């Protein structure tokens, strides 16, 4: 117990005596200090004594399409932490092929009387989806926030990463390395984020290289390692020396496709991912990528939802967060530039 008190005191920046007073619910401790000690308990992984546990302010659904892509657990962690900080209990709902659908999860959440739902890359991001499911929830007065995707006509807050700018940042980086044969490997275009990436790609090639028709440099596939491998393979066969990918998983597939052809990354082909999900800094080679502002976006989603739950009205304009280029080892000078320099 002595060591535990010392650990908590160090983490909270207070004395062990103060920690003891908080844990034993003794008077004479300022509220800010009390909260610092309780936060230290949580950070260090200690269970709060029963008398100090805060009652939940309510349940909030957190809807994710999957957990295979590391970007979705990253969003979940940020959003869950922010909800818990405000006393809400998050209910994580993840979908699997052939399993429980978004609509099924929504009904289950409604049956449990959730205070609201955060949808991350859900059906709202599919331009072909039936939006009446969301309109019915609006009519019921359910507070909702949507992350990454836009559904016009749905009266709710939307928070997105700027997908078009992400691709333009990647193209600008590759152009600075003297690449001109740049391809785009993305998912199905019916998804709003994909359509925006393609728009950014067309604009980037037009502005940088005067390309009027970029169709030959765009490959649509699945948002997976295998999808990235297939799309990148087709682009490499057309002579691409650089590939911008719709996700980090697709970028890892692109690396695999390059190596299957005996090409080196980045000496022969440069590859850029999207998301900056966990571990891509430690791949071989470390992946150059465009980072989503996950922390800021998750915090904004929770703020908007809490405003809605509290009876306020969060802004209905789509909040778009600018991503950040993170340069690592998967991009380098165009191979013809390297060969000229070696002469």
């Amino acid at each position: 117990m002595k060591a535990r008190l010392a650990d908590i005191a160090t983490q909270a920046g207070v004395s062990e005596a103060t920690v003891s007073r908080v844990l034993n619910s003794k008077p004479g401790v300022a509220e800010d200090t009390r909260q610092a000690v309780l936060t230290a308990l949580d950070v260090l992984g200690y269970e709060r004594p029963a008398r100090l546990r805060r009652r939940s302010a309510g349940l909030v659904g957190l809807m994710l399409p999957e957990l295979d892509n590391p970007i979705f657990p990253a969003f979940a962690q940020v959003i869950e932490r922010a909800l818990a900080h405000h006393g809400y209990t998050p209910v994580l709902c993840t979908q699997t092929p052939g399993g429980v659908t978004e609509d099924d999860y929504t009904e289950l959440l409604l049956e449990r009387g959730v205070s609201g739902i955060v949808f991350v890359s859900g059906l709202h991001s599919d331009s072909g989806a039936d939006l009446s499911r969301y309109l019915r929830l609006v009519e019921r007065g359910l507070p909702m926030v949507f992350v990454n995707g836009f559904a016009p006509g749905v009266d709710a807050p939307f928070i997105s990463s700027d997908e078009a700018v992400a691709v333009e940042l990647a193209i600008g980086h590759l152009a600075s390395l003297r690449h001109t044969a740049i391809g785009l490997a993305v998912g199905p275009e019916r998804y709003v984020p994909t359509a925006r990436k393609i728009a950014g790609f067309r604009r980037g090639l037009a502005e940088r290289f005067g390309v009027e028709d970029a169709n030959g440099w765009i490959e649509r596939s699945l948002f997976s390692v295998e999808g990235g491998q297939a799309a990148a393979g087709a682009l490499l066969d057309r002579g691409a020396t650089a590939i911008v990918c719709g996700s980090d998983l697709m970028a890892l597939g692109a690396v695999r496709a390059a190596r299957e052809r005996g090409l080196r990354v980045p000496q022969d082909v440069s590859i850029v991912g999207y998301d900056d999900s966990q571990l891509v800094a430690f791949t071989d080679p470390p992946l150059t990528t465009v980072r989503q502002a996950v922390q800021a976006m998750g915090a904004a989603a929770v703020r908007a939802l809490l405003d809605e739950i509290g009876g306020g009205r969060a802004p209905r304009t789509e909040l778009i967060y600018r991503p950040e280029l993170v340069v690592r080892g998967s991009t380098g000078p165009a191979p013809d530039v390297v060969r000229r320099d070696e002469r």
Side-chain angles (χ1 to χ4, degrees), residues 66 69 97 185-191 194 219-232 245-254:
E66 52 159 309
N69 187 334
V186 286
E189 194 166 358
R190 74 175 190 269
Y191 294 110
T194 296
E219 275 293 320
R220 301 161 184 84
S221 186
L222 300 177
F223 284 112
S224 64
V225 173
E226 294 75 16
Q229 182 178 359
C245 298
S247 71
D248 289 338
L249 289 183
M250 294 190 80
L252 296 179

PDB file of all heavy atoms in Angstrom, residues 66 69 97 185-191 194 219-232 245-254:
ATOM      1  N   GLU A  66     -15.334  -1.655 -38.375  1.00  0.00           N
ATOM      2  CA  GLU A  66     -14.472  -2.826 -38.142  1.00  0.00           C
ATOM      3  C   GLU A  66     -13.376  -2.432 -37.163  1.00  0.00           C
ATOM      4  O   GLU A  66     -13.252  -1.269 -36.789  1.00  0.00           O
ATOM      5  CB  GLU A  66     -13.831  -3.279 -39.456  1.00  0.00           C
ATOM      6  CG  GLU A  66     -13.127  -2.123 -40.172  1.00  0.00           C
ATOM      7  CD  GLU A  66     -12.086  -2.559 -41.162  1.00  0.00           C
ATOM      8  OE1 GLU A  66     -11.239  -3.360 -40.752  1.00  0.00           O
ATOM      9  OE2 GLU A  66     -12.099  -2.079 -42.304  1.00  0.00           O
ATOM     10  N   ASN A  69      -8.696  -2.466 -39.360  1.00  0.00           N
ATOM     11  CA  ASN A  69      -7.910  -1.282 -39.718  1.00  0.00           C
ATOM     12  C   ASN A  69      -7.577  -0.522 -38.437  1.00  0.00           C
ATOM     13  O   ASN A  69      -8.478  -0.095 -37.715  1.00  0.00           O
ATOM     14  CB  ASN A  69      -8.708  -0.393 -40.673  1.00  0.00           C
ATOM     15  CG  ASN A  69      -7.883   0.765 -41.218  1.00  0.00           C
ATOM     16  OD1 ASN A  69      -6.925   1.212 -40.601  1.00  0.00           O
ATOM     17  ND2 ASN A  69      -8.253   1.242 -42.391  1.00  0.00           N
ATOM     18  N   PRO A  97     -18.372  -8.852 -41.551  1.00  0.00           N
ATOM     19  CA  PRO A  97     -19.129  -9.347 -42.706  1.00  0.00           C
ATOM     20  C   PRO A  97     -20.052 -10.488 -42.313  1.00  0.00           C
ATOM     21  O   PRO A  97     -19.645 -11.457 -41.683  1.00  0.00           O
ATOM     22  CB  PRO A  97     -18.021  -9.828 -43.659  1.00  0.00           C
ATOM     23  CG  PRO A  97     -16.819  -9.013 -43.275  1.00  0.00           C
ATOM     24  CD  PRO A  97     -16.914  -8.841 -41.790  1.00  0.00           C
ATOM     25  N   ALA A 185      -4.201   4.499 -55.471  1.00  0.00           N
ATOM     26  CA  ALA A 185      -4.857   3.238 -55.138  1.00  0.00           C
ATOM     27  C   ALA A 185      -5.870   3.510 -54.025  1.00  0.00           C
ATOM     28  O   ALA A 185      -5.481   3.848 -52.905  1.00  0.00           O
ATOM     29  CB  ALA A 185      -3.829   2.203 -54.687  1.00  0.00           C
ATOM     30  N   VAL A 186      -7.153   3.375 -54.350  1.00  0.00           N
ATOM     31  CA  VAL A 186      -8.196   3.726 -53.384  1.00  0.00           C
ATOM     32  C   VAL A 186      -9.302   2.677 -53.390  1.00  0.00           C
ATOM     33  O   VAL A 186      -9.299   1.743 -54.190  1.00  0.00           O
ATOM     34  CB  VAL A 186      -8.817   5.115 -53.690  1.00  0.00           C
ATOM     35  CG1 VAL A 186      -7.876   6.228 -53.313  1.00  0.00           C
ATOM     36  CG2 VAL A 186      -9.231   5.203 -55.161  1.00  0.00           C
ATOM     37  N   GLY A 187     -10.264   2.887 -52.495  1.00  0.00           N
ATOM     38  CA  GLY A 187     -11.410   1.993 -52.404  1.00  0.00           C
ATOM     39  C   GLY A 187     -12.500   2.377 -53.381  1.00  0.00           C
ATOM     40  O   GLY A 187     -12.302   3.225 -54.259  1.00  0.00           O
ATOM     41  N   PRO A 188     -13.675   1.780 -53.234  1.00  0.00           N
ATOM     42  CA  PRO A 188     -14.797   2.070 -54.132  1.00  0.00           C
ATOM     43  C   PRO A 188     -15.200   3.544 -54.089  1.00  0.00           C
ATOM     44  O   PRO A 188     -15.254   4.149 -53.016  1.00  0.00           O
ATOM     45  CB  PRO A 188     -15.921   1.176 -53.588  1.00  0.00           C
ATOM     46  CG  PRO A 188     -15.205   0.075 -52.857  1.00  0.00           C
ATOM     47  CD  PRO A 188     -13.992   0.711 -52.266  1.00  0.00           C
ATOM     48  N   GLU A 189     -15.517   4.094 -55.250  1.00  0.00           N
ATOM     49  CA  GLU A 189     -15.763   5.537 -55.341  1.00  0.00           C
ATOM     50  C   GLU A 189     -17.115   5.935 -54.759  1.00  0.00           C
ATOM     51  O   GLU A 189     -17.367   7.121 -54.548  1.00  0.00           O
ATOM     52  CB  GLU A 189     -15.666   6.001 -56.796  1.00  0.00           C
ATOM     53  CG  GLU A 189     -15.566   7.506 -56.946  1.00  0.00           C
ATOM     54  CD  GLU A 189     -15.149   7.956 -58.328  1.00  0.00           C
ATOM     55  OE1 GLU A 189     -14.892   7.091 -59.193  1.00  0.00           O
ATOM     56  OE2 GLU A 189     -15.064   9.182 -58.554  1.00  0.00           O
ATOM     57  N   ARG A 190     -17.986   4.981 -54.464  1.00  0.00           N
ATOM     58  CA  ARG A 190     -19.273   5.367 -53.892  1.00  0.00           C
ATOM     59  C   ARG A 190     -19.118   5.917 -52.480  1.00  0.00           C
ATOM     60  O   ARG A 190     -20.033   6.561 -51.955  1.00  0.00           O
ATOM     61  CB  ARG A 190     -20.237   4.183 -53.899  1.00  0.00           C
ATOM     62  CG  ARG A 190     -19.954   3.113 -52.866  1.00  0.00           C
ATOM     63  CD  ARG A 190     -21.043   2.044 -52.889  1.00  0.00           C
ATOM     64  NE  ARG A 190     -20.943   1.118 -51.772  1.00  0.00           N
ATOM     65  CZ  ARG A 190     -20.266  -0.002 -51.790  1.00  0.00           C
ATOM     66  NH1 ARG A 190     -19.594  -0.348 -52.896  1.00  0.00           N
ATOM     67  NH2 ARG A 190     -20.242  -0.792 -50.726  1.00  0.00           N
ATOM     68  N   TYR A 191     -17.970   5.660 -51.843  1.00  0.00           N
ATOM     69  CA  TYR A 191     -17.731   6.200 -50.510  1.00  0.00           C
ATOM     70  C   TYR A 191     -17.242   7.639 -50.599  1.00  0.00           C
ATOM     71  O   TYR A 191     -16.357   7.957 -51.407  1.00  0.00           O
ATOM     72  CB  TYR A 191     -16.721   5.342 -49.754  1.00  0.00           C
ATOM     73  CG  TYR A 191     -17.236   3.954 -49.459  1.00  0.00           C
ATOM     74  CD1 TYR A 191     -16.718   2.844 -50.108  1.00  0.00           C
ATOM     75  CD2 TYR A 191     -18.266   3.767 -48.539  1.00  0.00           C
ATOM     76  CE1 TYR A 191     -17.203   1.568 -49.848  1.00  0.00           C
ATOM     77  CE2 TYR A 191     -18.766   2.501 -48.269  1.00  0.00           C
ATOM     78  CZ  TYR A 191     -18.233   1.405 -48.932  1.00  0.00           C
ATOM     79  OH  TYR A 191     -18.735   0.158 -48.684  1.00  0.00           O
ATOM     80  N   THR A 194     -13.498   8.350 -50.483  1.00  0.00           N
ATOM     81  CA  THR A 194     -12.804   7.958 -51.710  1.00  0.00           C
ATOM     82  C   THR A 194     -13.043   8.977 -52.805  1.00  0.00           C
ATOM     83  O   THR A 194     -12.112   9.378 -53.516  1.00  0.00           O
ATOM     84  CB  THR A 194     -13.279   6.571 -52.179  1.00  0.00           C
ATOM     85  OG1 THR A 194     -12.921   5.604 -51.200  1.00  0.00           O
ATOM     86  CG2 THR A 194     -12.635   6.196 -53.499  1.00  0.00           C
ATOM     87  N   GLU A 219      -6.707   3.502 -59.577  1.00  0.00           N
ATOM     88  CA  GLU A 219      -7.158   2.116 -59.438  1.00  0.00           C
ATOM     89  C   GLU A 219      -8.016   2.001 -58.180  1.00  0.00           C
ATOM     90  O   GLU A 219      -7.575   2.346 -57.084  1.00  0.00           O
ATOM     91  CB  GLU A 219      -5.980   1.145 -59.343  1.00  0.00           C
ATOM     92  CG  GLU A 219      -5.427   0.715 -60.672  1.00  0.00           C
ATOM     93  CD  GLU A 219      -6.400  -0.134 -61.486  1.00  0.00           C
ATOM     94  OE1 GLU A 219      -7.098  -0.988 -60.882  1.00  0.00           O
ATOM     95  OE2 GLU A 219      -6.475   0.070 -62.702  1.00  0.00           O
ATOM     96  N   ARG A 220      -9.235   1.503 -58.358  1.00  0.00           N
ATOM     97  CA  ARG A 220     -10.158   1.320 -57.235  1.00  0.00           C
ATOM     98  C   ARG A 220     -10.172  -0.144 -56.825  1.00  0.00           C
ATOM     99  O   ARG A 220     -10.260  -1.024 -57.670  1.00  0.00           O
ATOM    100  CB  ARG A 220     -11.549   1.782 -57.637  1.00  0.00           C
ATOM    101  CG  ARG A 220     -11.593   3.256 -58.062  1.00  0.00           C
ATOM    102  CD  ARG A 220     -12.843   3.550 -58.871  1.00  0.00           C
ATOM    103  NE  ARG A 220     -12.873   4.916 -59.359  1.00  0.00           N
ATOM    104  CZ  ARG A 220     -12.263   5.327 -60.468  1.00  0.00           C
ATOM    105  NH1 ARG A 220     -11.550   4.471 -61.196  1.00  0.00           N
ATOM    106  NH2 ARG A 220     -12.348   6.588 -60.853  1.00  0.00           N
ATOM    107  N   SER A 221     -10.118  -0.377 -55.531  1.00  0.00           N
ATOM    108  CA  SER A 221     -10.087  -1.747 -55.026  1.00  0.00           C
ATOM    109  C   SER A 221     -10.752  -1.769 -53.653  1.00  0.00           C
ATOM    110  O   SER A 221     -11.646  -0.960 -53.392  1.00  0.00           O
ATOM    111  CB  SER A 221      -8.643  -2.257 -54.953  1.00  0.00           C
ATOM    112  OG  SER A 221      -8.601  -3.614 -54.604  1.00  0.00           O
ATOM    113  N   LEU A 222     -10.322  -2.666 -52.779  1.00  0.00           N
ATOM    114  CA  LEU A 222     -10.844  -2.735 -51.422  1.00  0.00           C
ATOM    115  C   LEU A 222      -9.890  -2.049 -50.454  1.00  0.00           C
ATOM    116  O   LEU A 222      -8.679  -1.996 -50.696  1.00  0.00           O
ATOM    117  CB  LEU A 222     -11.034  -4.198 -50.999  1.00  0.00           C
ATOM    118  CG  LEU A 222     -11.997  -5.023 -51.850  1.00  0.00           C
ATOM    119  CD1 LEU A 222     -12.014  -6.466 -51.354  1.00  0.00           C
ATOM    120  CD2 LEU A 222     -13.403  -4.435 -51.828  1.00  0.00           C
ATOM    121  N   PHE A 223     -10.433  -1.551 -49.338  1.00  0.00           N
ATOM    122  CA  PHE A 223      -9.595  -0.920 -48.314  1.00  0.00           C
ATOM    123  C   PHE A 223      -8.951  -2.001 -47.455  1.00  0.00           C
ATOM    124  O   PHE A 223      -9.316  -2.202 -46.290  1.00  0.00           O
ATOM    125  CB  PHE A 223     -10.423   0.018 -47.439  1.00  0.00           C
ATOM    126  CG  PHE A 223     -10.764   1.328 -48.080  1.00  0.00           C
ATOM    127  CD1 PHE A 223     -12.073   1.623 -48.415  1.00  0.00           C
ATOM    128  CD2 PHE A 223      -9.784   2.254 -48.360  1.00  0.00           C
ATOM    129  CE1 PHE A 223     -12.398   2.836 -49.003  1.00  0.00           C
ATOM    130  CE2 PHE A 223     -10.090   3.473 -48.941  1.00  0.00           C
ATOM    131  CZ  PHE A 223     -11.401   3.766 -49.273  1.00  0.00           C
ATOM    132  N   SER A 224      -7.985  -2.703 -48.014  1.00  0.00           N
ATOM    133  CA  SER A 224      -7.326  -3.793 -47.303  1.00  0.00           C
ATOM    134  C   SER A 224      -5.935  -3.972 -47.880  1.00  0.00           C
ATOM    135  O   SER A 224      -5.584  -3.387 -48.904  1.00  0.00           O
ATOM    136  CB  SER A 224      -8.118  -5.094 -47.458  1.00  0.00           C
ATOM    137  OG  SER A 224      -8.137  -5.510 -48.824  1.00  0.00           O
ATOM    138  N   VAL A 225      -5.119  -4.800 -47.208  1.00  0.00           N
ATOM    139  CA  VAL A 225      -3.783  -5.098 -47.730  1.00  0.00           C
ATOM    140  C   VAL A 225      -3.898  -5.732 -49.116  1.00  0.00           C
ATOM    141  O   VAL A 225      -3.190  -5.343 -50.058  1.00  0.00           O
ATOM    142  CB  VAL A 225      -3.028  -6.037 -46.764  1.00  0.00           C
ATOM    143  CG1 VAL A 225      -1.713  -6.491 -47.399  1.00  0.00           C
ATOM    144  CG2 VAL A 225      -2.769  -5.340 -45.432  1.00  0.00           C
ATOM    145  N   GLU A 226      -4.814  -6.688 -49.254  1.00  0.00           N
ATOM    146  CA  GLU A 226      -4.976  -7.368 -50.535  1.00  0.00           C
ATOM    147  C   GLU A 226      -5.483  -6.416 -51.609  1.00  0.00           C
ATOM    148  O   GLU A 226      -5.048  -6.485 -52.771  1.00  0.00           O
ATOM    149  CB  GLU A 226      -5.945  -8.546 -50.382  1.00  0.00           C
ATOM    150  CG  GLU A 226      -5.440  -9.667 -49.501  1.00  0.00           C
ATOM    151  CD  GLU A 226      -5.494  -9.344 -48.011  1.00  0.00           C
ATOM    152  OE1 GLU A 226      -6.204  -8.384 -47.622  1.00  0.00           O
ATOM    153  OE2 GLU A 226      -4.823 -10.050 -47.225  1.00  0.00           O
ATOM    154  N   GLY A 227      -6.404  -5.517 -51.217  1.00  0.00           N
ATOM    155  CA  GLY A 227      -6.896  -4.526 -52.165  1.00  0.00           C
ATOM    156  C   GLY A 227      -5.797  -3.591 -52.626  1.00  0.00           C
ATOM    157  O   GLY A 227      -5.684  -3.267 -53.814  1.00  0.00           O
ATOM    158  N   GLY A 228      -4.969  -3.153 -51.690  1.00  0.00           N
ATOM    159  CA  GLY A 228      -3.846  -2.292 -52.044  1.00  0.00           C
ATOM    160  C   GLY A 228      -2.855  -2.989 -52.939  1.00  0.00           C
ATOM    161  O   GLY A 228      -2.291  -2.397 -53.874  1.00  0.00           O
ATOM    162  N   GLN A 229      -2.627  -4.271 -52.671  1.00  0.00           N
ATOM    163  CA  GLN A 229      -1.694  -5.048 -53.487  1.00  0.00           C
ATOM    164  C   GLN A 229      -2.192  -5.153 -54.931  1.00  0.00           C
ATOM    165  O   GLN A 229      -1.424  -4.960 -55.881  1.00  0.00           O
ATOM    166  CB  GLN A 229      -1.536  -6.442 -52.884  1.00  0.00           C
ATOM    167  CG  GLN A 229      -0.553  -7.343 -53.628  1.00  0.00           C
ATOM    168  CD  GLN A 229      -0.404  -8.694 -52.944  1.00  0.00           C
ATOM    169  OE1 GLN A 229      -1.011  -8.949 -51.910  1.00  0.00           O
ATOM    170  NE2 GLN A 229       0.413  -9.555 -53.515  1.00  0.00           N
ATOM    171  N   ALA A 230      -3.476  -5.427 -55.100  1.00  0.00           N
ATOM    172  CA  ALA A 230      -4.032  -5.570 -56.440  1.00  0.00           C
ATOM    173  C   ALA A 230      -3.999  -4.239 -57.195  1.00  0.00           C
ATOM    174  O   ALA A 230      -3.597  -4.184 -58.366  1.00  0.00           O
ATOM    175  CB  ALA A 230      -5.464  -6.097 -56.358  1.00  0.00           C
ATOM    176  N   ALA A 231      -4.424  -3.162 -56.522  1.00  0.00           N
ATOM    177  CA  ALA A 231      -4.461  -1.853 -57.178  1.00  0.00           C
ATOM    178  C   ALA A 231      -3.065  -1.373 -57.529  1.00  0.00           C
ATOM    179  O   ALA A 231      -2.809  -0.875 -58.631  1.00  0.00           O
ATOM    180  CB  ALA A 231      -5.161  -0.842 -56.275  1.00  0.00           C
ATOM    181  N   ALA A 232      -2.132  -1.535 -56.586  1.00  0.00           N
ATOM    182  CA  ALA A 232      -0.758  -1.093 -56.833  1.00  0.00           C
ATOM    183  C   ALA A 232      -0.117  -1.901 -57.949  1.00  0.00           C
ATOM    184  O   ALA A 232       0.642  -1.359 -58.771  1.00  0.00           O
ATOM    185  CB  ALA A 232       0.066  -1.207 -55.556  1.00  0.00           C
ATOM    186  N   CYS A 245      -1.880   5.919 -51.568  1.00  0.00           N
ATOM    187  CA  CYS A 245      -2.857   4.902 -51.181  1.00  0.00           C
ATOM    188  C   CYS A 245      -3.948   5.479 -50.292  1.00  0.00           C
ATOM    189  O   CYS A 245      -3.722   6.428 -49.540  1.00  0.00           O
ATOM    190  CB  CYS A 245      -2.166   3.744 -50.480  1.00  0.00           C
ATOM    191  SG  CYS A 245      -0.969   2.881 -51.530  1.00  0.00           S
ATOM    192  N   GLY A 246      -5.129   4.862 -50.367  1.00  0.00           N
ATOM    193  CA  GLY A 246      -6.277   5.340 -49.615  1.00  0.00           C
ATOM    194  C   GLY A 246      -6.245   5.021 -48.142  1.00  0.00           C
ATOM    195  O   GLY A 246      -7.045   5.553 -47.371  1.00  0.00           O
ATOM    196  N   SER A 247      -5.342   4.148 -47.725  1.00  0.00           N
ATOM    197  CA  SER A 247      -5.189   3.829 -46.306  1.00  0.00           C
ATOM    198  C   SER A 247      -3.804   3.242 -46.094  1.00  0.00           C
ATOM    199  O   SER A 247      -3.128   2.848 -47.060  1.00  0.00           O
ATOM    200  CB  SER A 247      -6.256   2.821 -45.851  1.00  0.00           C
ATOM    201  OG  SER A 247      -5.995   1.535 -46.397  1.00  0.00           O
ATOM    202  N   ASP A 248      -3.391   3.169 -44.848  1.00  0.00           N
ATOM    203  CA  ASP A 248      -2.093   2.560 -44.548  1.00  0.00           C
ATOM    204  C   ASP A 248      -2.098   1.069 -44.886  1.00  0.00           C
ATOM    205  O   ASP A 248      -1.078   0.525 -45.327  1.00  0.00           O
ATOM    206  CB  ASP A 248      -1.754   2.753 -43.064  1.00  0.00           C
ATOM    207  CG  ASP A 248      -1.407   4.188 -42.724  1.00  0.00           C
ATOM    208  OD1 ASP A 248      -1.025   4.941 -43.639  1.00  0.00           O
ATOM    209  OD2 ASP A 248      -1.513   4.560 -41.538  1.00  0.00           O
ATOM    210  N   LEU A 249      -3.239   0.399 -44.670  1.00  0.00           N
ATOM    211  CA  LEU A 249      -3.300  -1.019 -45.011  1.00  0.00           C
ATOM    212  C   LEU A 249      -3.098  -1.224 -46.511  1.00  0.00           C
ATOM    213  O   LEU A 249      -2.386  -2.132 -46.943  1.00  0.00           O
ATOM    214  CB  LEU A 249      -4.639  -1.623 -44.581  1.00  0.00           C
ATOM    215  CG  LEU A 249      -4.865  -1.810 -43.081  1.00  0.00           C
ATOM    216  CD1 LEU A 249      -6.213  -2.483 -42.835  1.00  0.00           C
ATOM    217  CD2 LEU A 249      -3.746  -2.618 -42.445  1.00  0.00           C
ATOM    218  N   MET A 250      -3.703  -0.371 -47.317  1.00  0.00           N
ATOM    219  CA  MET A 250      -3.511  -0.455 -48.762  1.00  0.00           C
ATOM    220  C   MET A 250      -2.051  -0.188 -49.119  1.00  0.00           C
ATOM    221  O   MET A 250      -1.490  -0.820 -50.030  1.00  0.00           O
ATOM    222  CB  MET A 250      -4.417   0.529 -49.495  1.00  0.00           C
ATOM    223  CG  MET A 250      -5.899   0.243 -49.374  1.00  0.00           C
ATOM    224  SD  MET A 250      -6.915   1.258 -50.472  1.00  0.00           S
ATOM    225  CE  MET A 250      -6.711   0.376 -52.033  1.00  0.00           C
ATOM    226  N   ALA A 251      -1.423   0.733 -48.394  1.00  0.00           N
ATOM    227  CA  ALA A 251      -0.019   1.043 -48.662  1.00  0.00           C
ATOM    228  C   ALA A 251       0.876  -0.160 -48.363  1.00  0.00           C
ATOM    229  O   ALA A 251       1.838  -0.425 -49.100  1.00  0.00           O
ATOM    230  CB  ALA A 251       0.422   2.248 -47.830  1.00  0.00           C
ATOM    231  N   LEU A 252       0.560  -0.898 -47.305  1.00  0.00           N
ATOM    232  CA  LEU A 252       1.338  -2.108 -47.018  1.00  0.00           C
ATOM    233  C   LEU A 252       1.165  -3.138 -48.136  1.00  0.00           C
ATOM    234  O   LEU A 252       2.101  -3.853 -48.498  1.00  0.00           O
ATOM    235  CB  LEU A 252       0.919  -2.686 -45.673  1.00  0.00           C
ATOM    236  CG  LEU A 252       1.190  -1.801 -44.449  1.00  0.00           C
ATOM    237  CD1 LEU A 252       0.697  -2.488 -43.179  1.00  0.00           C
ATOM    238  CD2 LEU A 252       2.668  -1.459 -44.331  1.00  0.00           C
ATOM    239  N   GLY A 253      -0.041  -3.191 -48.697  1.00  0.00           N
ATOM    240  CA  GLY A 253      -0.260  -4.061 -49.846  1.00  0.00           C
ATOM    241  C   GLY A 253       0.516  -3.598 -51.057  1.00  0.00           C
ATOM    242  O   GLY A 253       1.012  -4.418 -51.844  1.00  0.00           O
ATOM    243  N   ALA A 254       0.652  -2.287 -51.217  1.00  0.00           N
ATOM    244  CA  ALA A 254       1.425  -1.740 -52.333  1.00  0.00           C
ATOM    245  C   ALA A 254       2.904  -2.109 -52.202  1.00  0.00           C
ATOM    246  O   ALA A 254       3.575  -2.418 -53.193  1.00  0.00           O
ATOM    247  CB  ALA A 254       1.258  -0.228 -52.400  1.00  0.00           C
TER     248      ALA A 254
END
